[in-house]
Amino acid sequence: MTAAGVWPQAAVPVLLTLLLARAVWAFIAVEVCARWLLASATPTTPTAAEPVPWLVVLLPMLREQTTAARTVAAFTALDYPPGRAAVVVITTERETSARAGHRGRLAALATHAPLTAGQLRGLFPAARCREVAETVNAADPADRLRVLTGLFDAEPTTADIVAALAADPPGGHLPLVHLHQPDVGGRKAGQLNFALARLGQVLGPLGWNEGEHAGDTYAVVYDADAVPDRRTLQAFAAEAAAHRARAGRPPALIQQQRLPLLARRPFPAGPVGLLLAGEWVYQLRRSLGIELARIRLHRFLAFSRLPEAVRMWLRPMVYAVGCGMAVRLPAVRALGGFPEPMEDLGTGHRLSLLGADLTATSVAVLDEPYTEPSGLANLHALAFTASARPDRHAAAVAHLPTALSRPAKAVLVAREWADEAAWLIGAPLAAAAVVSAWWAGPAWAAVAAAGVLLHGPVTTARLLALAPALHAAFTPPPALAPLPRTSSAHPSALVAASPLQPFVRLAGPWRLIFAKGTGRHRGFGKTER
């Protein structure tokens, strides 16, 4: 075979086979996991005789003024036996420090005509930026700085709002505790670890002490804009009891499934809105077909009688998600706390490399899809950074007891590296193979067409059909009104544009790589929706 023939005769068939295999796996995984969620939507409630675990719900917040009160009302209203759980909101002095620095920018911003919502990101909560920009733009040019300064000064901090809520709780079932972190840098993981160091202050009034109760305590992590199902905490307790009964030990991690089905803000109009709506569907596919599918496969392998040599090659690297992630306290203590820069991916990777018991609950949590490109690109860049060095996660837990052999851990690390490589170059390579398919032969052209259709339009159409049922299976807390469901104004266009969606996910990682290569990367900001 000549060098010129290697691409159409060897590379293209391999790439097209991988494309079709991935498409088939994704479609099956989405379907199986969605049906499992829908069939198991009503979890078994622990009986009164069963001791339920201690649960501490951790809600780190930064510039969440518009969501804080609603989020606190939702989580404190969750059903759970009294005296066995608490809700902790962790605010940070970083927000106040940043405001002091941002105030000096107001004069320059007031000269922009028109002032855009994007220019106000970081100065105001994301949900307020458009309203503030419109108010300033409507003012007389001579008054624009005064109007902008007045709005800036009148904006309370998240800590102000949460402190007021803690002083006069909304009256839910669960106690509310407010912790305020000093300005010590870091991200969400730092706020979580700040709370973990103060569990005695949080749960002590309920009769908890770490020496006696740590083994039966879970730290449950959420994003500030999440809305939990009313049965969430009962489902965690039920899954912990079921896993203990089957395995003889409690699980190290219980993952609640995050579904981006909460439509609080609309997608923008035009092509950008279409791509962002496509990313919503892609996130739903990832939630079902990757995140949930991997945990369920991990759990299946843990209880299977397959030889370890087989399980080693099938065992997945689990992607924990910090919106509905319950981690057993001894496990997170052993890890040295939640890792930076992403507490969820790092925790999932490290527990996977230890061969820990990981399981999932069938009661979902809703969160919002991204409605602005900047937040989405930041998320993808941050996720890529957290996942790209699995060897560092392996080194971080090398001193801990593990249920996996050294070859099994090496396979997990290699698989994660392969996933990251596929993220960076998989879509361009697959596109080049599809374009070249006809030169490889008519049969390969058919394989290319089948792979593209199944990976994009077919799976997208199925997800659009599943979304209403998944949303309907959700039971909101009594403190909230019926929740709007994410949907697309142009589903046909969304289906047609779906083959382009893998390229959208390249923007964040490649922008990060370019910024680091040119010395322009200055770290990550808050990942805002």
Side-chain angles (χ1 to χ4, degrees):
M1 185 184 300
T2 64
V6 170
W7 173 254
Q9 297 178 37
V12 169
V14 169
L15 289 170
L16 293 179
T17 300
L18 291 174
L19 172 65
L20 183 58
R22 183 179 178 87
V24 170
W25 165 255
F27 184 83
I28 293 174
V30 164
E31 188 70 26
V32 169
C33 289
R35 292 191 179 205
W36 179 76
L37 282 179
L38 293 171
S40 310
T42 304
T44 302
T45 302
T47 66
E50 294 177 325
V52 296
W54 294 82
L55 301 179
V56 55
V57 176
L58 302 178
L59 297 170
M61 293 192 181
L62 173 68
R63 295 199 308 275
E64 298 291 355
Q65 295 95 316
T66 57
T67 63
R70 181 173 49 202
T71 301
V72 166
F75 278 95
T76 55
L78 296 179
D79 295 333
Y80 205 65
R84 298 288 287 191
V87 175
V88 183
V89 177
I90 312 106
T91 56
T92 174
E93 189 65 16
R94 296 201 315 271
E95 183 176 322
T96 304
S97 301
R99 280 174 63 85
H102 290 324
R103 203 174 192 282
R105 298 172 50 199
L106 298 181
L109 287 169
T111 64
H112 288 272
L115 181 64
T116 66
Q119 292 168 321
L120 296 174
R121 295 299 287 268
L123 282 77
F124 293 87
R128 288 262 296 137
C129 289
R130 186 177 301 278
E131 176 188 347
V132 171
E134 291 173 352
T135 302
V136 174
N137 289 331
D140 185 270
D143 290 335
R144 285 164 60 90
L145 177 56
R146 179 184 60 79
V147 171
L148 179 58
T149 302
L151 291 170
F152 183 82
D153 290 341
E155 191 74 44
T157 65
T158 309
D160 293 335
I161 293 173
V162 176
L165 291 169
D168 184 18
H173 296 102
L174 305 181
L176 171 65
V177 178
H178 175 212
L179 298 177
H180 188 67
Q181 181 195 33
D183 186 358
V184 292
R187 295 180 55 85
K188 181 179 175 183
Q191 290 175 262
L192 296 173
N193 292 330
F194 180 80
L196 287 181
R198 290 155 180 81
L199 283 189
Q201 174 184 339
V202 172
L203 294 176
L206 303 180
W208 180 92
N209 70 79
E210 184 150 354
E212 182 180 354
H213 300 119
D216 201 24
T217 302
Y218 284 84
V220 192
V221 180
Y222 285 95
D223 290 332
D225 59 354
V227 176
D229 189 291
R230 178 173 184 167
R231 306 157 296 174
T232 286
L233 302 187
Q234 292 178 331
F236 280 127
E239 183 57 34
H243 188 94
R244 187 192 294 269
R246 185 175 183 185
R249 56 188 179 272
L253 180 144
I254 308 172
Q255 181 68 59
Q256 182 178 31
Q257 208 49 43
R258 173 193 60 89
L259 302 179
L261 296 177
L262 182 57
R264 285 181 175 147
R265 290 189 290 269
F267 295 112
V272 172
L274 182 64
L275 290 176
L276 286 169
E279 178 63 22
W280 152 61
V281 179
Y282 214 85
Q283 286 284 344
L284 182 58
R285 175 164 76 169
R286 177 179 178 81
S287 180
L288 297 170
I290 296 180
E291 293 161 4
L292 179 55
R294 288 191 179 198
I295 291 178
R296 296 192 68 214
L297 176 58
H298 178 100
R299 186 173 182 272
F300 167 78
L301 292 173
F303 292 110
S304 75
R305 297 189 178 184
L306 292 171
E308 172 56 23
V310 175
R311 288 187 289 165
M312 177 178 74
W313 292 102
L314 296 178
R315 186 179 291 113
M317 182 76 89
V318 168
Y319 297 147
V321 180
C323 187
M325 177 179 70
V327 189
R328 188 167 171 255
L329 186 57
V332 73
R333 294 282 197 227
L335 295 179
F338 291 103
E340 295 274 10
M342 290 189 80
E343 81 295 336
D344 47 5
L345 285 175
T347 299
H349 281 39
R350 295 179 185 193
L351 291 178
S352 296
L353 288 162
L354 292 176
D357 288 306
L358 314 176
T359 187
T361 174
S362 60
V363 170
V365 58
L366 301 189
D367 74 347
E368 301 178 51
Y370 285 83
T371 56
E372 291 191 5
S374 58
L376 184 62
N378 189 37
L379 168 71
H380 289 158
L382 184 56
F384 179 80
T385 298
S387 301
R389 292 299 304 272
D391 57 315
R392 290 182 177 174
H393 293 301
V397 298
H399 64 289
L400 297 175
T402 176
L404 300 186
S405 64
R406 179 172 292 183
K409 288 193 290 185
V411 169
L412 276 180
V413 170
R415 181 177 291 119
E416 187 60 23
W417 270 330
D419 282 348
E420 298 308 300
W423 188 353
L424 285 180
I425 63 175
L429 279 177
V434 168
V435 170
S436 307
W438 184 258
W439 284 271
W444 290 113
V447 171
V452 170
L453 288 173
L454 186 57
H455 195 275
V458 174
T459 302
T460 298
R462 181 57 183 153
L463 285 164
L464 291 174
L466 287 169
L470 291 168
H471 187 273
F474 178 87
T475 304
L480 298 187
L483 301 172
R485 174 174 57 83
T486 308
S487 61
S488 173
H490 306 287
S492 298
L494 200 61
V495 170
S498 58
L500 300 175
Q501 209 58 39
F503 293 92
V504 175
R505 303 178 65 82
L506 295 178
W510 276 112
R511 187 177 72 171
L512 170 68
I513 291 170
F514 178 78
K516 285 191 172 183
T518 56
R520 298 177 183 175
H521 183 59
R522 296 294 182 267
F524 294 102
K526 172 178 163 65
T527 302
E528 295 189 80
R529 289 176 172 81

